Amino acid sequence: MSDQWGGGQQGSESPVGSVPDLARTEPTSGWAGGPSAAASARPEKVPIEDMPTAGARVGVFLEELASDHPTPGGGAWAAVSAAAGAALVAMVARLTVKKKGYEGVVDRMRAIADECDDERYALLALADRDAEAYRDVMAAYKLPKATPEEQHTWSTTLQKSLERAADIPLEVARRSVYLMALAEETLTSGNPNAASDALSAATSLHAAALSALANVDINAITFIDKTRQQELADSANSLRHRAQSLLRDVSEAFFIAVHA
């Protein structure tokens, strides 16, 4: 990674801050659980400016994205796109808190805004984890395999790195779909003047989910553990269906809000 990213050394030995390793949590089936169980505990946060992705200006990050380096790539971008969606949901919630006539939902909207702030931070950390995981996969492929012992080490190391490279975007997809439901809630219960922002959040989160799940698929396809491969496929399919359903619901709600 370039030093332009805004501080911090990159590498598998130095995960971002002390955000929990969400990729190593027990996977849940489908979308219903939202973020994984480990994500419910609030991590000790490092300053945003000390996180490679979060600390970069948009233009610098896009230059990195457009370069001929394999990272950051689609998986990292999925997490950044989801973080942007979370930020928009928080904005709609806060605009609702300020609007006269919506006193009945103030507490709920404040809770949504706070939760989306936490989600935004976690997703930006996952963007860096995704890039790290991909570098680990590339390093595993390059391990020597001239002897049976080396072949065994190569195979097991590669399998572990591929699993992590699939688990991280799966967590991004779970969070994205969960946040889509919050976008729908702010659209239907919140400030109608911000309905387009809620829809923008949902579409950004939908794209993030599909992009993240594509990264799940491409890493899982070479799994040696076929049971684990099928578990990931089932979870990915469930998330895709739920994301599509939520996008349809949010789009219909926006149409109703605009033409009310």
Side-chain angles (χ1 to χ4, degrees), residues 43-129:
E44 180 183 348
K45 293 185 177 181
V46 298
I48 283 284
E49 60 269 19
D50 291 340
M51 297 169 63
T53 297
R57 291 185 178 274
V58 173
V60 173
F61 175 74
L62 293 179
E63 284 290 337
E64 291 284 338
L65 198 63
S67 75
D68 59 0
H69 297 120
T71 59
W77 174 247
V80 171
S81 181
L88 279 172
V89 177
M91 184 190 78
V92 177
R94 290 189 169 107
L95 288 173
T96 303
V97 169
K98 295 170 60 178
K99 187 169 178 61
K100 185 177 180 180
Y102 285 79
E103 291 80 8
V105 295
V106 163
D107 289 344
R108 175 58 182 157
M109 290 297 156
R110 283 178 176 154
I112 288 175
D114 289 343
E115 185 172 8
C116 286
D117 288 346
D118 289 340
E119 288 297 310
R120 171 163 47 91
Y121 181 93
L123 284 159
L124 289 172
L126 283 167
D128 292 325
R129 294 284 178 83

Side-chain angles (χ1 to χ4, degrees), residues 210-252:
L210 296 189
S211 177
L213 292 172
N215 282 271
V216 173
D217 292 340
I218 202 166
N219 285 293
I221 198 170
T222 54
F223 275 18
I224 298 170
D225 185 344
K226 299 305 178 184
T227 299
R228 180 75 177 114
Q229 184 185 69
Q230 188 59 52
E231 289 174 351
L232 282 173
D234 291 343
S235 292
N237 287 334
S238 179
L239 285 163
R240 284 191 185 94
H241 290 313
R242 178 58 176 163
Q244 189 60 37
S245 176
L246 280 167
L247 183 64
R248 181 177 61 251
D249 292 346
V250 175
S251 298
E252 290 176 355

